[in-house]
Amino acid sequence: MAATHEAILANLTNAQRAAVTHRDGALLVLAGPGSGKTTVVTHRMAHLIAGGVPPWQILALTFTNKAAGEMGERMAAMLPGRSTGRGGPTVATFHSFCARQLRQFAEAADLAPRYSIYDDADQRDAIKQAMKQAEVDSTNFTPSAIGAAISNAKNRLLDAHAYAAQTSGFREGCITRVYSTYEKILRANDALDFDDLLLRMVRLLRTDEQVRTQLQQRYHYLLIDEYQDTNHAQFVIAHTLAASHGNICVVGDPDQSIYGWRGADISNILEFEQQYSMAKVVPLGQNFRSTGHIVDAAAGLIEHNKRRKSKRLYTELGPGERPAVVICRDEQHEAVLVADFLRGQSEQHGVVWKEMAVLYRVNALSRVLEEALRTAEIPYVIARGTAFYDRKEIKDALAYLRVIANPNDEVCLRRIINTPSRGIGKTTLKKVELFAIDGQLRLLEALRRAGDMTGLTARAVNAITKFVQMLEGCRKAAVGEVPRALAGSEHLARLVEQVIRESGLESAYQQSPTEEDQQRLANLEELISAAAQFVAPPADEQRSELRLLDLLTAFLESVALVSDADLVDPQRGTVTLMTLHTAKGLEFSAVAMIGLEENLLPHVRAADSDNELEEERRLCFVGITRAKRRLQLSRAALRTHRGIREPTIESRFLRELPAESIVLSDQAGEGARLDDERDGAVEFPVGSIVRHPKFGLGRVESIMPRAAGVSARVAFSTGGTKTLILDFAPLERVE
DNA sequence: CTGGTCATTTTTTTT
DNA sequence: AAATGACCAG
């Protein structure tokens, strides 16, 4: 055992070691970017286990499934055989942990065990429905605005009733009416939205003493990752679970709090010490990821935030290269320069594609990049984990599966009832709905009794009957028991296949000759293989048999809770394109950040609030600190937005970067526009190595248009930096 | 009931 | 620019 301890503590700094070895009581780890946070967390878990804590008593809650997976893997590598599967530590996201507990304790939580989880789109559908029912005019309030208000309320643990009691005014009154109708719809459909997963968990913990005690006793050591991004509901869950023993370790960085808009409360981490007066605090300021100028640039930027705990950020990796700030003509030009930058990294520095990333504030910016990267033949992927499951054909197939798992889910039922079209149109549906209301029936039950209805055409009745029979056939197939082991997913895949075939989705696309529909067919195939590869998380009940229906439910749950970051595959040999939010927690050798313009970063919607502006600055900070060695920040002088081309304003964040730690390169100026591309930018791009007969080898730091011609600032290996006019200087490019 | 066209609007970020 | 929704002809 002593040997294990030694091994676990080897190669850690004193600060890291302090965090790892702290055993009982509250612990706050303030982990700056690149400070070895994951190392500390995994080593801490291993250390607890090596110290005799049974692995299953450890609960680690993370932000993404990917983070959870990595944590589990690194643990397993350290303690072979003791840390995976049943009996191992529980490592999950807040949402999936809650989802599982709510199924486990469905009865106590007053839920159907196979409740549906509504994603954004489902939620919007349900809210629209609620607005109609509550007679709230959608011209005054958009469903998404109301949805945001409701989500906000839920994050603060207010149900419709409590929300009504706390607010007043016309708008709030309308929201209240929609909210309470929405609650009823969710209940009738046996559905929870994302916020409900947390809210209902809080309610369960508060109301059911037995469940609360059971969970408190089971999870003796709590570890919360990315604590700066927890909202009030998550705060309550964490602290309720820790209440009986106080063994709570939170890890985070206030400077990287970027989810305020969805209720994350930065004061959770800022006030942790007040909450636990005995808490041990371990600041980790040393950055092991990035070189000096990058760290300095990031540190200089974040200094501009008022509401923060100042901490010194430093690195011992040497100064490295200065981040380049590049001004481009427009977004196409910017994309080309990004491609040049990436290619340069590959060809001049031997950086592999997967060690590079392009980051942006909004997803819409990825489009232009894609084009440029395709022409430059640079392999890339866009990190949008949800994109696959957002495709229409996949959503349709999943809707069938969800109705099979939960027949009360009418949002899904409505979606599929006439998809692909089978002759059950608007008027027919209206009639069935009326019939359902009259007879107090659920929609599916009403459909079942279509034959009893008056006023339906024989054709409609026929279509409905066939539809209902098809659903029932699939449901029957799903009720059987299957072995829990891997083979179970084989059955699951077969069920998915059956649904795709019998629903008519398959033949609808098969008959179409278009490329697009063939792709959809292929996507459906992919869904089947996703099901075949699905492995249910270890359950607490140790049954060897499992109903296929439960496996299906677990599958649907995992699908509902995938995040964009989850599908960032490090094995892939490609450049990754993603939003700044998705990039949190990742690192790359070379990073290009685009769109450093006012109204984009910081985003327009943050303009009138200091708090939000600070959050934008943190977002920029997160982006910069993803880079290990090389960083390029760019902006376009002109950008086309919603069809109109407009001049942009330089982001204030660029001005806030310490001048001495960056290199400026204006590729958009007059001179640059005329000749630079041929003479300067292309022949001697920033970063290229050049030889001068007198000064020797040097590196181009920046390119600038001057009256006399294009000039370049070159740092020579002899130590000096010279500004040379490219037209006259006898420069020769070496690399 | 279906599929098309035309007008209208727009999510920033995501579990 | 693109995507959604309303509306209308077949």
Side-chain angles (χ1 to χ4, degrees):
Chain A
M1 198 57 88
T4 320
H5 272 274
E6 284 301 306
I8 290 170
L9 298 179
N11 302 321
L12 295 181
T13 63
N14 285 339
Q16 290 175 335
R17 197 167 299 193
V20 167
T21 54
H22 173 92
R23 183 160 166 153
D24 291 342
L27 171 66
L28 166 63
V29 181
L30 290 169
S35 61
K37 185 191 67 174
T38 313
T39 307
V40 166
V41 167
T42 49
H43 284 243
R44 184 177 146 76
M45 292 203 291
H47 191 257
L48 285 172
I49 295 169
V53 173
W56 51 266
Q57 285 190 353
I58 298 174
L59 172 63
L61 296 175
T62 63
F63 202 71
T64 62
N65 294 299
K66 180 164 181 266
E70 268 170 19
M71 226 172 255
E73 271 169 36
R74 283 176 65 168
M75 278 273 312
M78 257 182 287
L79 297 170
R82 277 200 285 170
S83 50
T84 49
R86 260 203 310 272
T90 304
V91 188
T93 66
F94 263 101
H95 290 268
S96 62
F97 174 72
C98 293
R100 265 178 255 161
Q101 299 305 322
L102 289 172
R103 285 194 211 290
Q104 178 98 23
F105 300 108
E107 201 175 329
D110 189 23
L111 281 170
R114 270 187 292 279
Y115 65 82
S116 298
I117 298 175
Y118 279 2
D119 66 16
D120 278 358
D122 306 322
Q123 189 184 16
R124 224 190 52 220
D125 286 352
I127 286 179
K128 272 191 206 157
Q129 220 176 301
M131 286 173 77
K132 223 177 262 170
Q133 278 177 35
E135 293 176 338
V136 168
D137 190 3
S138 60
T139 49
N140 285 332
F141 309 103
T142 66
S144 58
I146 295 201
I150 293 176
S151 170
N152 239 312
K154 287 189 177 181
N155 287 155
R156 286 179 295 144
L157 299 175
L158 301 174
D159 60 15
H161 189 72
Y163 177 82
Q166 285 209 2
T167 56
S168 59
F170 175 70
R171 185 188 143 83
E172 287 73 13
C174 293
I175 292 170
T176 301
R177 274 166 37 225
V178 178
Y179 190 177
S180 84
T181 316
Y182 175 62
E183 278 180 342
K184 287 188 191 115
I185 291 175
L186 288 180
R187 171 151 292 275
N189 290 0
D190 286 328
L192 299 186
D193 63 24
F194 286 135
D195 304 313
D196 283 334
L197 293 173
L198 306 175
L199 179 73
R200 298 296 284 261
M201 184 70 190
V202 169
R203 215 179 280 166
L204 173 66
L205 287 170
R206 279 186 175 162
T207 56
D208 195 305
E209 201 196 326
Q210 209 189 329
V211 172
R212 182 174 65 239
T213 323
Q214 189 182 332
L215 290 176
Q216 284 172 342
Q217 281 173 356
R218 150 119 203 216
Y219 297 114
H220 223 76
Y221 288 89
L222 252 67
L223 206 151
I224 319 290
D225 191 21
E226 307 283 10
Y227 190 64
Q228 77 281 356
D229 285 321
T230 50
N231 63 27
H232 183 61
Q234 291 166 321
F235 172 90
V236 173
I237 292 167
H239 294 284
T240 309
L241 289 175
S244 66
H245 45 68
N247 296 326
I248 181 169
C249 163
V250 304
V251 185
D253 179 5
D255 289 337
Q256 296 184 62
S257 162
I258 54 176
Y259 283 95
W261 50 273
R262 71 175 210 210
D265 187 352
I266 193 171
S267 42
N268 285 352
I269 191 164
L270 292 176
E271 288 162 14
F272 186 82
E273 289 171 81
Q274 277 102 299
Q275 200 193 351
Y276 291 91
S277 53
M278 302 294 284
K280 183 178 178 76
V281 181
V282 180
L284 302 175
Q286 183 174 357
N287 184 316
F288 300 98
R289 176 187 297 154
S290 315
T291 42
H293 289 308
I294 295 174
V295 172
D296 291 347
L301 173 73
I302 204 66
E303 293 269 291
H304 288 81
N305 271 4
K306 302 229 158 49
R307 196 183 173 210
R308 84 180 200 106
K309 270 187 180 177
S310 183
K311 71 172 165 300
R312 193 172 94 82
L313 299 176
Y314 61 101
T315 178
E316 290 178 0
L317 295 179
E321 286 177 36
R322 290 186 173 81
V325 172
V326 182
I327 303 172
C328 320
R329 283 196 303 278
D330 53 25
E331 65 266 46
Q332 279 82 13
H333 186 209
E334 183 181 48
V336 169
L337 293 186
V338 165
D340 288 350
F341 169 74
L342 298 174
R343 179 150 306 280
Q345 295 306 311
S346 164
E347 289 177 0
Q348 288 158 37
H349 303 284
V351 180
V352 293
W353 298 123
K354 66 170 182 176
E355 271 295 314
M356 306 182 202
V358 186
L359 310 181
Y360 36 80
R361 177 66 235 264
V362 297
N363 282 305
L365 293 188
S366 69
R367 228 191 194 92
V368 198
L369 281 170
E370 285 193 76
E371 242 174 275
L373 295 186
R374 236 174 325 195
T375 32
E377 298 190 312
I378 295 174
Y380 69 90
V381 274
I382 299 182
R384 287 217 84 186
T386 50
F388 177 73
Y389 294 107
D390 275 346
R391 295 193 166 109
K392 184 190 175 305
E393 65 277 15
I394 300 298
K395 294 205 78 157
D396 290 339
L398 288 172
Y400 279 93
L401 292 166
R402 287 166 58 178
V403 169
I404 288 161
N406 172 13
N408 281 339
D409 187 340
E410 294 188 354
V411 167
C412 281
L413 183 55
R414 275 165 213 280
R415 185 186 173 96
I416 59 172
I417 193 164
N418 200 30
T419 312
S421 43
R422 50 169 67 86
I424 311 176
K426 249 188 216 151
T427 29
T428 307
L429 184 58
K430 268 264 150 49
K431 285 176 194 160
V432 180
E433 270 170 348
L434 283 176
F435 181 75
I437 293 167
D438 267 357
Q440 300 265 41
L441 301 171
R442 300 257 68 209
L443 193 55
L444 190 60
E445 187 54 33
L447 289 169
R448 229 177 245 134
R449 300 190 196 173
D452 306 347
M453 287 177 58
T454 51
L456 280 186
T457 62
R459 224 167 103 192
V461 174
N462 196 319
I464 293 175
T465 315
K466 267 172 73 184
F467 173 66
V468 172
Q469 278 171 356
M470 179 239 118
L471 280 182
E472 280 177 345
C474 292
R475 168 96 183 177
K476 218 167 269 163
V479 183
E481 300 224 328
V482 295
R484 172 172 269 290
L486 277 177
S489 53
E490 194 44 52
H491 293 82
L492 180 64
R494 238 178 278 155
L495 176 67
V496 176
E497 203 179 354
Q498 180 183 0
V499 164
I500 290 172
R501 194 166 348 100
E502 294 183 5
S503 64
L505 283 173
E506 189 180 58
S507 50
Y509 293 124
Q510 266 170 353
Q511 279 161 22
S512 159
T514 66
E515 184 75 22
E516 196 191 0
D517 286 341
Q518 291 310 305
Q519 182 57 50
R520 300 203 147 151
L521 212 51
N523 290 337
L524 289 172
E525 284 295 322
E526 207 176 312
L527 182 67
I528 297 173
S529 45
Q533 281 159 34
F534 178 70
V535 182
D540 289 328
E541 298 169 75
Q542 306 204 3
R543 284 191 299 151
S544 57
E545 295 273 293
L546 174 85
R547 288 172 79 195
L548 184 49
L549 214 46
D550 293 325
L551 188 62
L552 173 63
T553 305
F555 177 63
L556 292 173
E557 176 185 302
S558 80
V559 165
L561 300 178
V562 283
S563 69
D564 287 350
D566 294 342
L567 295 204
V568 177
D569 181 357
Q571 300 304 101
R572 270 223 166 99
T574 65
V575 175
T576 310
L577 275 50
M578 70 194 119
T579 65
L580 289 164
H581 283 90
T582 309
K584 189 179 70 164
L586 305 176
E587 59 176 29
F588 301 89
S589 276
V591 170
M593 253 170 93
I594 65 170
L596 279 118
E597 296 147 29
E598 286 293 303
N599 298 332
L600 207 46
L601 181 65
H603 195 268
V604 234
R605 307 240 345 210
D608 40 46
S609 135
D610 284 352
N611 273 339
E612 290 180 52
L613 218 59
E614 295 209 341
E615 180 154 313
E616 297 290 313
R617 191 175 282 111
R618 291 194 291 268
L619 204 45
C620 187
F621 175 80
V622 165
I624 292 174
T625 53
R626 297 311 96 197
K628 293 200 268 198
R629 295 288 175 272
R630 290 181 192 84
L631 174 65
Q632 171 174 295
L633 306 164
S634 57
R635 83 166 179 100
L638 292 170
R639 190 176 293 277
T640 309
H641 182 57
R642 297 232 272 255
I644 7 182
R645 197 171 158 88
E646 271 183 325
T648 65
I649 304 166
E650 176 179 72
S651 168
R652 70 193 72 188
F653 300 150
L654 286 180
R655 294 165 189 278
E656 291 172 1
L657 299 173
E660 63 278 10
S661 49
I662 59 166
V663 173
L664 194 66
S665 156
D666 188 343
Q667 310 280 342
E670 285 305 310
R673 188 169 319 178
L674 295 174
D675 304 297
D676 277 19
E677 295 225 43
R678 211 174 49 242
D679 295 346
V682 166
E683 205 176 332
F684 303 109
V686 171
S688 58
I689 305 295
V690 295
R691 177 180 290 117
H692 188 278
K694 203 153 143 208
F695 307 122
L697 285 178
R699 187 169 170 280
V700 178
E701 301 275 79
S702 66
I703 300 275
M704 298 236 217
R706 289 281 167 83
V710 183
S711 76
R713 210 169 70 131
V714 183
F716 288 100
S717 53
T718 48
T721 300
K722 297 266 183 294
T723 301
L724 305 165
I725 306 293
L726 288 180
D727 281 348
F728 309 120
L731 281 182
E732 183 193 344
R733 183 154 172 200
V734 178
E735 152 195 340

